[in-house]
Amino acid sequence: MSPRAPRLHPSILSADFARLAEELGRIRGADAVHVDVMDNHFVPNLTLGLPVVEAIRRATDLPLDIHLMIEDADRWAPGYAEAGAESVTFHAEASAAPVRLARELRAAGARAGMALKPATPVEPYLDMLPELDMLLLMTVEPGFGGQAFLDVVLPKIRRARRALDGAAAPLALQVDGGVNAETIERAAEAGADVFVAGSAVFGAEDPDAAVDGLRRAAARACC
C-alpha cells in the first residue's frame, strides 16, 4: 500500500453552535471543516441548511466539506457547491441519479463525494468511481454524533481501498463516525485517508492540538 498523507476534517456537529465562528478559529490546523446537513427525514435529526453554510463560508478560509444527510439530494446538493463549498458529499441511498449529480457538483466547482451507510455495499458503485473525487464510508449509522465506531465496516474500507488504488484517478477515502485516537489507527490501517472527527476534536481542551495528534496517529498506522 502506497503512503497517503492523512487529512483531518473536524465535524462542527460537536462544536458549540452559539460560538461557531470562534470554534472555527480553534481548528486552524485542520485540512477542512466537515459540515453535517441533516433534514429530519433521511436521518432522525435536524441540524442546519444552506443559509448557515453560507455564513460558515464567510467565517473561515478553511475548505468546506459538506456532508448531506438529506432526502432528494439531486435537487439540493448543487446549491451547496454554488455557495462555495469545496467538497459536497451526497448519500447514494438518497440520490436517484448519482452520476448526473456528481457531474453537476463538479460543473459547479466542487469536488463530488458519495457516502454509503454501514450496511450499503460498495461493490454496486465501483463503476462510477471515475465520476467521484471522494468516497465516504460511514462508520456509524448517520444522524447523530458521539456514536461508537463500527468495526464491522473495516472489511468494507479494505475492499474500497483496493478498488480506489486501481482507479485511473486518485480518490480520497473518507470515514465518518466514532473516530478518536484509538479508532483512527484501525481505520487508517484499513485504508482510509480522510478522517472526520467531532467530539474527539471539539471535546478536547485544545482542538487544534487534538487535530494534530489524530493526524499523527493515522500517519503511524497507514504509512
Side-chain angles (χ1 to χ4, degrees):
M1 186 180 299
S2 59
R4 301 175 302 276
R7 286 171 280 170
L8 260 294
H9 293 191
S11 169
I12 61 168
L13 188 62
S14 298
D16 183 348
F17 275 29
R19 302 185 300 118
L20 196 48
E22 182 181 337
E23 293 279 73
L24 291 169
R26 302 173 72 202
I27 55 166
R28 298 185 188 279
D31 297 285
V33 178
H34 188 82
V35 183
D36 291 303
V37 176
M38 306 182 192
D39 64 357
N40 193 221
H41 295 286
F42 181 70
V43 293
N45 197 5
L46 181 66
T47 55
L48 48 83
L50 188 55
V52 178
V53 170
E54 292 172 338
I56 293 171
R57 175 70 291 164
R58 295 191 296 270
T60 181
D61 293 327
L62 287 170
L64 298 187
D65 171 27
I66 309 298
H67 178 192
L68 299 177
M69 287 171 269
I70 61 174
E71 291 183 348
D72 200 6
D74 304 81
R75 176 183 180 185
W76 299 110
Y80 290 85
E82 293 162 4
E86 282 77 5
S87 177
V88 178
T89 297
F90 60 91
H91 268 265
E93 303 91 349
S95 173
V99 172
R100 182 178 65 196
L101 179 53
R103 292 181 178 181
E104 288 178 353
L105 292 173
R106 284 177 161 180
R111 292 187 291 274
M114 187 175 69
L116 303 177
K117 293 181 179 182
T120 302
V122 68
E123 285 74 16
Y125 300 98
L126 294 182
D127 286 345
M128 71 169 290
L129 290 181
E131 307 290 342
L132 300 172
D133 301 290
M134 184 171 70
L135 180 65
L136 165 56
L137 300 184
M138 293 298 299
T139 43
V140 299
E141 291 295 338
F144 293 94
Q147 298 183 66
F149 185 92
L150 294 174
D151 284 278
V152 70
V153 183
L154 290 172
K156 183 164 73 169
I157 296 173
R158 294 188 178 96
R159 296 196 304 274
R161 180 76 266 162
R162 289 194 293 270
L164 267 59
D165 284 345
L171 277 81
L173 181 54
Q174 186 179 74
V175 290
D176 180 2
V179 173
N180 56 39
E182 176 191 359
T183 60
I184 196 170
E185 295 189 6
R186 300 203 292 276
E189 184 278 331
D193 53 13
V194 182
F195 305 89
V196 177
S199 55
V201 171
F202 287 105
E205 183 175 347
D206 185 340
D208 229 1
V211 166
D212 183 61
L214 289 167
R215 188 186 289 115
R216 286 187 282 107
R220 287 194 301 269
C222 76
C223 309

